[in-house]
Amino acid sequence: MAASSFSLSQRPEGQSYFAGVDIGSLTAKAVILNEDEIVAHSLIPVTVSPEKIGRAALEEALKAAQLKLEELKYIVATGYGRISAPYAHSTTSEITCHARGAYFLNPKVRTVVDMGGQDCKAIRVGERGQVVDFAMNDKCAAGTGRFLEVLAKVFDVPLDELGPLCLKAEARVPISSTCTVFAESEVISLMAQGEKLENIISGIHLSIARRVVGILSKIGVEKELIFTGGVGKNLGMRKTLEELLEMEMADLNWDPQLVGALGAALIAKGKATRP
Amino acid sequence: MIINHKMEVKDGLLLYPEELKEPFLKTPDLPLRDGTRVSPAEIWHFMTEEGPKKFPFEFSSNPNVRSYKPNVELLSGIKYSYLLLTRRSRVEALRRRGAPLVYVQGGQTTDPYYAAGAIPMRPGNLTGMADYYESVGQNSQERDLKKMASQEEGNRAISMESCHQVHAFSYMRRGILPVDLLAPCTNLRCSDNTYLVDSHRGSPRQTPSFLLDYPVNHEPHKPWVVQYMVQGLHRLVKQIGQLTGRETSDEEFREMIKLLNRGRKLARDFLELWWSAPVPPASSFYLAWVLDLAHDCNADPLAAAQVLEEMYAEAKERMDNSVKGMALAPQPVRIFTCGSCFRPSCYLLDKLGGVLVAMEDRLISPFVNVAEEGNPYENYAKAILAIPLELPTEERALWVVDQVRKSRAQGLLFGYHWGCNFQSAIARMFHDIIKKEAGIPAIVLEQDDLGRTETLQQTRNRLEAFLEMFS
Amino acid sequence: MKIVERIREALRERPEELSQARQEGAQVVGYFGTYIPEEIIDAMGLIPIRLGRGGDEALVELGARYISDKNCVFVRHSVGLFAEGKDPFVANSDIVAVPSACLQIFRLSEVVRYYCQRKTVALSVPRNYYLPEARVYFREEMKEFVRQMERLSGKSLVEERLRQSIKLYADIRRSLEEVYHYQALEYPPISWREVFEVTHAGFYLDRRQYLSYLHELLAEVRAKGREEPPDLRPRLLLFGSHIAPGDTKIIGLIEECGGRIVADDLSTGLRFHRALEVKEPSIPGIADAYLERIPCAALPCTQSLESDRRFANLMTLIQDFQVEGAIYHTLRFCDSHSFKANITKRFLQEKLQMPFLELHTEYSPSDIEAIRTRLESFMDILPGRG
C-alpha cells in the first residue's frame, strides 16, 4: 500500500526529514518521514554487526527516498541494537515506539501486542498515544518470533508459510510452549509418528497464543487491539489470538513489522520540532 | 562545604579528584568496632592508591558496570566505599580475634548477632566478599566470567532453579568463603535461603547451622509467637557463644540495640530529608548506601553509625542550600522499588530521568525501632515481628501505598530475582493493589543479573521503557 | 477389583452429593498439604476435602497469570483450578485452609483470597519442628486455627465429637496401612497404583462411607488367592514432589518401562496416613501428632542426615519394602524437593548402595521421550529378578 496515504499535520513550508531505525534480533527496519507523510521504509535481515545492519537499513530507506544522511534532521534508534547506533541522536525503547507507531496508524488503539524475535510485549496505550502500562514475556525464547523460526526450520518450510499452514489444520495437536528446545524435540517425535504438519503447526500457534494471552491478562485488554512486530504478519497467529481473546483485532493496513521504526521516526520528528 | 565533583577518568578507571583531598582530610576519624581508628589520610590513601590497583572493577569507567558512580557529592561516601573495599580484610582481622562469620538472611536485622560478638553477613555481601578474594586485579569482564562459572557450579551442586543466593554456597562448598555458622531467619521474605542451608548438609565442607524460625503466618500481637521467637533468639545467642567461648549479657544486647537504633534513626532522618526536598539532595546511589549501611552495617556497627551521621549532615547541608543531586533531572520521576533482592542500577535510573525514593526491602531498618529498656530478647522479637514486608501481602501493600504517598513516589517497580518463588508469587497481586490503591504506574521486573558486575540489556530495556512512560 | 470400581463410582457421584449437602446447609473446607487436621474439621461438622489436582498444562498457564511462573507446577495448576472455577471440589469449597509448611502454598492462599474472593485460613507450622518450643508454639497455633474456623463457619468444636472423629481417622489410617502392605507382596492381590487411587478417594468421599469401603476392600484383598504368577518386576520406591490426583505422567512412564512401584514417600500416598497417631483426644494432642508425623520436605532441616526423620523414614521404607531402586520425582520450581535431590542421592547411595534416579519434570508432555530414555537406562542397571 502507498505510504503517502498517511498524512501528518500539514505544514505550510519547508521539508525536513526524520528517521526511525529499529534494530531487532532478526531484522533491522528504517522509516523516514517528512513533515507530512511517510517517505520511505526498509527492512533487512540481521547478519552480524548490529551497528552495520542498522546503518544499512537506514541507507536503504535513504536511497528509496533519494535523500542523504545529512538531510535527516533527527534520527531515533530503537530495538536491542539501539545502543550501537552512533548515527542516531537519541534512543527510545521499542515499547514506547510500538505504542506511538500503532497510535499513529490507528488513534483508537488502546492495546498493542508486539511479537518480535526476542520479546513479546503487551502494551496499554493512553488517549494521547502514550504508554500507560506494559508487560513482557519472561526472558526465554518460547513464545517469541525466534520460537517460530526454530520450528519452521524443523518443518523445513519458510517462516511466512507457517501462518497459512496453521489455518489449514483440521485438528490441533497439543504442544508444550515451555521451552524452545523441548518443543523442538516434541515436534520431531510427533512428525515421526506421522502427525499432520498443519495440525502440529496449529498446536504450536495455540501454545504460543496462550502464553501471549497470559501476558495480556496482566495489563488487561481494551479495544482497539493491534498486533505488531514480525509475527504480526502471521495470520494463523492472529486468528488464534482472536479466538482465545474472543475479540477481533483492528486492522493495521500497514506492515506490522515496521511499526517500531515508524514510532521511532515519529518520536524523532517530535524531538526535532519541540527540542 | 558543598561537593559537586566529577570523578576523573584515567586508564578506564574513575578516580577521586585531587582537589577533594584537602576537604576530606578535615573530616573525622573513622572508629572501628575493634577499638582502633582510621584517619581520613589513611582512607584517602587507600581509596586513591591501593584500592584502584586491587579492585579495578569497583572503579570502572564503564557505565554498564553496576557500581559505576561518575560523581562525588558527599565526602562521607568515600568512607562508605572504604568500608566496602576493606570488608574482606576487616572480616579476616575480626575472625583472627575470634569473631565468627555468620550467614544471615538478607531481610533481617542483625542486633543479636552483633551483640553476641559475631559478624553477620547476608548472602549478597558474602558473595561480594568472596569475589574480592577471587578477583583481585581483574577488570569487570574477567570478574563476571569467573563469577558466572562459580554460580553455575553452585546451581549444578544444589539446584538449577535456585536464585542467585546459591552463589554464596558455591563459594562455601569450595572453601573460599570461611563462614563459621549458618544462622539465618527462616521465611523472612524468602524460601530459597533455608532450603540452601538444608542442602548444605551435603557439602564437602560442613558448617554448623541453626535456623531462627520466623513464623510466616504470624500476627505480631500473638504472645506465643513472641515467646517462640524469644526462645529461638536465646538458642541463637548461645550457639554463637559456643564459637566465641563467651556468654552475652542482656546488658550487652541492650547496648547493641542502642547502637543499631542510632544508625536506624539516622537512616529514618535521612529518608525524611530525601522525601521532603523538592528534588533529592544527591544522586540516587547515596540513598541506597544509607539504607544499606543502616541495615547490615557492613560488618561494623560503630563505623556504620559514624558514616551515617556524616552522610546525614552533608545531605542536610546540601538541602539547606537547595542543592540537588548532580545526576538528577530538574524534575526527576520519583521511583519506589519493592520486592526483595532487587536493585536497579542507580546510575541508569538517574540518567533516564528518575530518582530513587525508597527500596522496600531496605525500609525495614529505618522503620524497625527496638525498645531499649527491659528484656532485650522480647523487645527485639516484638520489633522484628512487626516488619511490614513480612505482613500478609494485602497489609504489606497497603503499608507501601502509605509510604508511596509520603515519599510522593510517581512510579513503582516490583522486582524479584530469577528463581525466587516467594516474592514472585505475589508480584502481580502486589502490583495490582498498588495501581488500584496508590493510582501510580507500576511494573514487575524479573532480574537475573544481580550477581553480575554489569547489568544486562533485558533489565535495562524494561527500566528504560518504564521511565519513558513519564516523559 | 469390584470394590475399587465401586469407589470410582462413588467418586463420580461425590460432586453432586456435595452440592446437595451444601444446599442443605453443610459447609465444605477445602484444604492443601498434610498439616491441616481433618479430625478437627470433621468434629466441627464440616466436610473436609483435600484440594488440588494435577496434570493439565493449560491450567498451569492459567494459574501463572495470577501467581508466577517461578512457582511450582502444582501450585500454578492449583491457582488455575481456582481461576477456572470448574473443578467441582474447588467450586464447592466454602473455606480454603492451608498450612504454612510450603511457602508457595501459603502464597496460593493469598492469591486466591485476593483474585477469587475466597475465605482462607492459614495454619502456621513451625519450621524447627523438632525443638520442644515448637511443640508449645504449634499447640497454640492449632487453637488459633480452631478459633478461626469457628469464626468463619459459625460452628463450634465439641469435645465428644472430636473423640469420635479421632477414632474414625485412626481406623481409616490403620485400614490404609494394611491395604498398603498387600500391594507390596510378591503375589500382590492389589497394585500400588490401585492403592494410590484408593488413597486419593479418601480426600473426597464421605469419610464414614469411605471407611466402610476400606473394610470391604480389605476383606476382598485378604480373600484373594495366588491366581497370577509372582510379580518379579524391579521393586521401586517413588518419592519427591507432590503427585496430585490426575497427574499420571511419571507413574505411567515407570509402568511402561517395566518398573513396579512398591513403596512411596508421597504426601498423596503412604505419607498421608503413615505414622500419624493422635494419642490425646484434644486439640494439643492433635497438634502434637501432626508435628510428629513424617515431616513434609517443605520444612527445612539442619539436623544431621542420620537424625533427620525424613531420611530415617526413607531407610525404613527401603528396608521394609525390599526396594531395589529409588526414583525421586521433582516438579519444576518445587524447591523444597529439588534442592534436596543431591543430598538424598548421596545419602541413599552411601548408606544402602541404592540406585537412584531423579526425574525433574512438569505437566507438559514435551519431555516424555527424554524421561523414557532415562527410565529405560535406569531399569537396565537394576538387578535382574527373573
Side-chain angles (χ1 to χ4, degrees), chain C residues 121-370:
Chain C
V121 187
L123 169 68
S124 199
V125 183
R127 295 186 112 59
N128 288 337
Y129 54 87
Y130 41 84
L131 297 178
E133 61 262 34
R135 175 189 282 248
V136 177
Y137 169 81
F138 195 51
R139 287 176 168 190
E140 292 301 324
E141 283 296 331
M142 196 59 88
K143 289 182 203 158
E144 175 70 19
F145 175 74
V146 172
R147 283 193 288 272
Q148 299 258 9
M149 292 292 290
E150 287 180 334
R151 187 175 56 77
L152 284 178
S153 66
K155 304 256 186 167
S156 50
L157 185 62
V158 183
E159 206 186 312
E160 187 40 42
R161 277 212 60 158
L162 189 59
R163 281 174 196 279
Q164 289 168 15
S165 298
I166 289 168
K167 164 119 191 10
L168 167 70
Y169 284 98
D171 286 348
I172 289 177
R173 284 172 199 134
R174 208 170 350 196
S175 307
L176 278 169
E177 190 100 31
E178 195 183 336
V179 177
Y180 201 88
H181 156 80
Y182 280 99
Q183 62 78 27
L185 296 176
E186 195 161 16
Y187 293 87
I190 185 169
S191 71
W192 176 86
R193 189 148 181 188
E194 283 169 313
V195 176
F196 195 52
E197 194 185 340
V198 168
T199 308
H200 295 175
F203 302 164
Y204 308 107
L205 296 180
D206 174 88
R207 304 306 195 259
R208 284 157 186 85
Q209 176 69 49
Y210 179 61
L211 179 61
S212 74
Y213 285 141
L214 289 178
H215 286 156
E216 285 181 56
L217 176 65
L218 270 173
E220 208 175 312
V221 163
R222 285 182 197 130
K224 209 168 167 188
R226 292 183 173 185
E227 290 145 22
E228 280 160 41
D231 190 338
L232 297 177
R233 292 173 297 166
R235 298 172 68 89
L236 302 173
L237 166 75
L238 176 64
F239 65 135
S241 296
H242 199 73
I243 298 186
D247 174 13
T248 54
K249 182 172 158 182
I250 292 294
I251 296 166
L253 276 167
I254 291 173
E255 286 174 354
E256 281 173 37
C257 294
R260 176 190 173 194
I261 301 165
V262 291
D264 72 85
D265 179 35
L266 295 171
S267 57
T268 50
L270 178 58
R271 188 148 51 78
F272 184 65
H273 50 83
R274 186 173 168 89
L276 179 57
E277 197 190 333
V278 181
K279 291 175 190 134
E280 268 299 307
S282 63
I283 299 172
I286 288 174
D288 291 355
Y290 275 78
L291 207 57
E292 281 160 17
R293 75 185 309 179
I294 300 152
C296 170
L299 298 176
C301 184
T302 56
Q303 295 174 301
S304 71
L305 296 182
E306 288 73 16
S307 42
D308 182 329
R309 270 160 33 202
R310 282 188 63 254
F311 284 88
N313 177 52
L314 290 177
M315 298 270 284
T316 314
L317 285 177
I318 288 171
Q319 280 152 358
D320 291 358
F321 289 89
Q322 297 134 47
V323 169
E324 293 160 319
I327 295 181
Y328 191 59
H329 158 261
T330 54
L331 280 178
R332 192 154 160 79
F333 288 114
C334 170
D335 288 3
S336 36
H337 286 94
S338 48
F339 280 42
K340 291 183 184 74
N342 287 341
I343 56 172
T344 309
K345 178 178 183 170
R346 249 193 36 207
F347 180 80
L348 294 183
Q349 285 180 341
E350 279 171 16
K351 297 279 170 196
L352 300 167
Q353 292 76 50
M354 180 57 42
F356 179 98
L357 176 70
E358 182 192 358
L359 296 175
H360 189 56
T361 187
E362 48 198 328
Y363 296 156
S364 94
S366 60
D367 57 357
I368 282 183
E369 294 312 313

Side-chain angles (χ1 to χ4, degrees), chain A residues 15 20 27 37 86-87 142 146 153 157 162 181 222-223 262:
Chain A
Q15 275 304 0
T27 53
E37 59 193 3
Y87 46 84
R146 182 68 83 182
K153 281 205 181 106
V157 299
L162 282 181
V181 179
E222 200 184 308
K223 276 201 161 191
L262 171 63

Side-chain angles (χ1 to χ4, degrees), chain A residues 82 93 96 132-133 137 139, chain B residues 435 446 461-462 464 468:
Chain A
R82 67 180 179 278
S93 76
T96 307
V132 290
D133 198 1
N137 59 311
K139 297 159 196 175
Chain B
K435 286 215 314 201
E446 181 180 281
N461 198 37
R462 284 158 169 78
E464 203 169 328
E468 281 169 5

Side-chain angles (χ1 to χ4, degrees), chain A:
Chain A
M1 98 164 295
S4 58
S5 62
F6 296 101
S7 218
L8 291 159
S9 55
Q10 294 292 318
R11 276 172 187 263
E13 70 210 31
Q15 275 304 0
S16 299
Y17 295 94
F18 319 94
V21 186
D22 178 0
I23 309 149
S25 61
L26 300 177
T27 53
K29 287 82 61 175
V31 168
I32 296 177
L33 302 174
N34 64 19
E35 294 194 14
D36 305 318
E37 59 193 3
I38 298 168
V39 178
H41 52 77
S42 66
L43 187 156
I44 52 178
V46 161
T47 48
V48 185
S49 149
E51 181 179 342
K52 279 190 196 142
I53 210 70
R55 190 182 284 275
L58 183 59
E59 269 159 16
E60 199 170 302
L62 283 166
K63 206 168 135 196
Q66 297 180 314
L67 289 170
K68 292 196 194 77
L69 184 64
E70 306 82 72
E71 289 174 82
L72 293 175
K73 202 165 169 190
Y74 204 97
I75 306 171
V76 167
T78 186
Y80 277 111
R82 67 180 179 278
I83 30 179
S84 48
Y87 46 84
H89 298 91
S90 66
T91 63
T92 304
S93 76
E94 312 91 275
I95 291 140
T96 307
C97 290
H98 275 273
R100 287 291 295 275
Y103 180 78
F104 174 74
L105 296 168
N106 183 347
K108 285 191 191 142
V109 68
R110 291 297 170 269
T111 314
V112 177
V113 182
D114 165 42
M115 288 179 75
Q118 289 279 299
D119 288 322
C120 172
K121 312 173 189 82
I123 309 164
R124 278 294 291 274
V125 183
E127 286 173 4
R128 291 172 288 110
Q130 80 279 23
V131 177
V132 290
D133 198 1
F134 68 93
M136 288 170 79
N137 59 311
D138 54 357
K139 297 159 196 175
C140 157
T144 69
R146 182 68 83 182
F147 188 84
L148 286 170
E149 200 190 64
V150 167
L151 294 165
K153 281 205 181 106
V154 176
F155 298 126
D156 196 23
V157 299
L159 186 58
D160 51 14
E161 275 177 32
L162 282 181
L165 281 167
C166 168
L167 294 173
K168 282 191 199 146
E170 293 150 5
R172 265 186 191 140
V173 183
I175 310 265
S176 158
S177 64
T178 45
C179 166
T180 312
V181 179
F182 275 179
E184 198 177 337
S185 58
E186 194 177 350
V187 164
I188 291 169
S189 74
L190 282 167
M191 284 166 73
Q193 289 162 28
E195 188 57 69
K196 272 192 156 175
L197 196 66
E198 294 85 349
N199 298 355
I200 304 176
I201 291 173
S202 171
I204 290 167
H205 280 69
L206 178 69
S207 84
I208 298 179
R210 277 212 311 250
R211 271 178 88 115
V212 176
V213 170
I215 298 167
L216 272 166
S217 79
K218 293 184 179 172
I219 59 159
V221 181
E222 200 184 308
K223 276 201 161 191
E224 298 289 335
L225 170 64
I226 276 183
F227 190 13
T228 68
V231 188
K233 291 176 178 170
N234 178 326
L235 204 58
M237 185 60 73
R238 174 168 168 164
K239 290 283 172 222
T240 315
L241 281 170
E242 287 180 335
E243 177 192 330
L244 293 183
L245 291 166
E246 296 175 5
M247 69 184 281
E248 275 188 25
M249 293 187 175
D251 286 323
L252 197 55
N253 296 324
W254 208 49
D255 186 342
Q257 211 166 358
L258 294 174
V259 174
L262 171 63
L266 289 161
I267 291 166
K269 178 173 167 277
K271 290 211 173 185
T273 43
R274 303 179 264 110

